Amino acid sequence: MTDLTSVIERGPPRVPQSPASSDKQQRLARRRRADARFRSYGLVAIMLAISFLALIVADITFKALPAFTHHSLKLNVPVTAGLVDAAQPNAGDYDGLIKNALRGLFPEVKSRADKKSLDSLLSSGAADPLRERIVANPALVGQTLSADLLLSSSADLYLKGISAQARTSNGAGPAKPSDTSGIVTLVAEPDALAPDLAGIAKNAEGGVTFDTNTPTLLVAINGGIIKIASITQGAVQGEVLAPLTSASSAASGAWQRIVISTPESSRKINDRQIAFLELLKQQGAVESGFNFGFFTNGDSREPELAGILGGLMGTAYTMLVTLGLCLPIGVAAAIYLEEFAPRNRVTDLIEVNINNLAAVPSIVFGLLGLAVFLNVFGLPRSSPLVGGLVLALLVLPTIIIASRAALKAVPPSVREAAIGVGATRQQAIFHHVLPVAMPGIMTGTIIGMAHALGETAPLLMIGMIAFIADVPGGPTEAATVLPVQIFLWSDLPEAGFQSRTAAAILVLLAFLVLMNSLAIWLRNKFERRW
């Protein structure tokens, strides 16, 4: 009994392993470690790809955010009969109306240069909404209307802090100007201004002189603005950009310092315009809102007026023409090659050429469209019709290859069962095989269309790079597409187009994600498990 108990406690006797068995276990352990390393490498690669993608999207989004908002000026505009005739409201001088309303806020502006600086704060299209209101209701002539006037791109970029960084702080200690206009002396402690002057070289006397190549120092005091020209131990000299209401002393904290780090020579907006904007901000006349014009306007040379509607409509017409041509032709060609075509040298040559066309550079199709569709057939240049024809040639090989793969993936039992119950070969293919293969066909088609959506090179060859301000009303009218719009904007020097380029890229990415999501949804919804 004791021996049996000891045997049970010790367990079964261990069988000594042979050297061959031990070697197999070591190899198995090495393979498992190699598999674990491979999985970890794959996981790291995926995480790196996701990180880089997130970084790119975040960078584009950050740059695009300013394009979705815009600043406007809320003014009361008197619609005088001298500038707008109620009998012919279309011929009115609406630019004169809004300029007179703006100049009414600054009656001290007399010189031609100052008037030009003040007027250029408004966009060249600021009067368009007012024109539409009065043309729709001529009875408004003679009244004073509240209007939101679009600011120019340079003024908008300043208010967003993009073209010039402005730091505002309350002044320390009392300050008293010597006059309300012209060249004045500001009686204030120089040390109260010194903290904002880091990095500006001092002269031999220990003072500071400002010019167009140094940061700008403005002082907002007594309802006006003074541009500081020099600071010495004895006095602070400056020029009044906006008249002061009085020359009385301002207590500590009742006046502000505005430091603009970007020199005047390096920005499009000058110091006088900044002074006007700062006063308008103090009066509460500057408002910021969502930029609906970015989605409702066509292209423009002015950044604040440029929109993507023309590119979106051109893209929509081009994609409709492309889809209407390549889908039926591509599916029909795939059905013939996969189900009906005899296996001989001719069909082999066709298949090889189709595979080769899928790898041809896209610009070659643009040259083909230029030579055939424009020069031979004389179709309208820069039209979505020609763009759709060129992109259909580009996408057609992809759709044929994807459709053939989808038809080949259908189990042979589907064909055999249909023929076994009396269906003809054509009925078996169109009534049974094709519906089963349709999810794969639609997935390949949408992926091909997404490829066409991002193409630019073939469309440049057929003239769709031209500047088109109007929104196209049909596939035969001159238009551009969203990728070409992005290409055009990215090449423009104005800073206002930088954010609009990034915003248009976001819209294009949204379309691509939507189309690929649609392909995944169609595949999951209609795919059948066998």
Side-chain angles (χ1 to χ4, degrees), residues 250-467:
S252 177
W255 58 281
Q256 291 81 35
R257 300 168 299 178
I258 304 173
V259 179
I260 304 166
S261 56
T262 305
E264 188 176 16
S265 60
S266 301
R267 44 184 160 86
K268 295 188 66 175
I269 186 170
N270 58 44
D271 294 334
R272 191 170 297 275
Q273 291 174 319
I274 290 177
F276 292 145
L277 287 175
E278 292 295 335
L279 290 180
L280 291 171
K281 284 172 57 179
Q282 294 177 8
Q283 298 171 9
V286 178
E287 297 181 348
S288 178
F290 186 77
N291 186 14
F292 290 99
F294 179 73
F295 298 96
T296 59
N297 295 342
D299 195 9
S300 174
R301 297 296 186 188
E302 303 296 333
E304 70 275 7
L305 299 176
I308 61 172
L309 183 59
L312 285 177
M313 294 303 298
T315 301
Y317 288 129
T318 302
M319 290 296 103
L320 286 176
V321 174
T322 302
L323 183 63
L325 289 174
C326 65
L327 180 59
I329 297 175
V331 174
I335 292 174
Y336 174 76
L337 292 174
E338 190 64 32
E339 304 292 345
F340 295 102
R343 295 296 179 261
N344 52 36
R345 293 183 178 180
V346 176
T347 55
D348 290 343
L349 181 62
I350 293 175
E351 292 178 2
V352 170
N353 287 328
I354 290 174
N355 293 329
N356 289 336
L357 285 174
V360 170
S362 59
I363 196 166
V364 175
F365 293 97
L367 293 172
L368 178 63
L370 175 64
V372 177
F373 299 134
L374 296 182
N375 295 338
V376 176
F377 294 104
L379 295 178
R381 186 180 296 269
S382 304
S383 65
L385 175 61
V386 179
L389 290 172
V390 172
L391 293 181
L393 295 177
L394 175 66
V395 177
L396 196 57
T398 303
I399 294 180
I400 294 176
I401 294 172
S403 300
R404 291 191 64 186
L407 292 170
K408 191 179 296 185
V410 177
S413 58
V414 175
R415 299 176 179 83
E416 296 170 357
I419 294 175
V421 296
T424 63
R425 186 179 181 184
Q426 182 178 353
Q427 290 174 334
I429 292 171
F430 284 97
H431 295 173
H432 301 278
V433 176
L434 187 59
V436 175
M438 190 55 66
I441 294 175
M442 295 304 299
T443 300
T445 301
I446 293 176
I447 292 176
M449 294 297 295
H451 175 208
L453 180 63
E455 280 294 338
T456 303
L459 301 180
L460 300 182
M461 300 302 300
I462 61 172
M464 296 192 80
I465 193 176
F467 173 76

Side-chain angles (χ1 to χ4, degrees), residues 139-269:
L140 296 175
V141 176
Q143 302 181 18
T144 299
L145 304 179
S146 176
D148 293 327
L149 306 179
L150 193 67
L151 290 177
S152 65
S153 177
S154 58
D156 179 63
L157 291 177
Y158 167 75
L159 293 172
K160 291 176 179 176
I162 297 176
S163 61
Q165 295 289 337
R167 304 192 310 272
T168 302
S169 58
N170 290 327
K176 185 180 185 304
S178 61
D179 203 346
T180 60
S181 62
I183 305 299
V184 298
T185 299
L186 184 65
V187 181
E189 293 292 336
D191 293 339
L193 301 172
D196 292 325
L197 306 180
I200 302 179
K202 295 184 178 181
N203 54 33
E205 300 177 356
V208 177
T209 301
F210 296 88
D211 55 30
T212 58
N213 296 318
T214 63
T216 299
L217 175 60
L218 303 178
V219 174
I221 183 171
N222 295 342
I225 292 182
I226 301 173
K227 177 183 177 181
I228 304 301
S230 63
I231 299 178
T232 62
Q233 296 297 329
V236 178
Q237 300 289 334
E239 178 188 2
V240 176
L241 299 182
L244 283 61
T245 56
S246 67
S248 60
S249 177
S252 177
W255 58 281
Q256 291 81 35
R257 300 168 299 178
I258 304 173
V259 179
I260 304 166
S261 56
T262 305
E264 188 176 16
S265 60
S266 301
R267 44 184 160 86
K268 295 188 66 175
I269 186 170

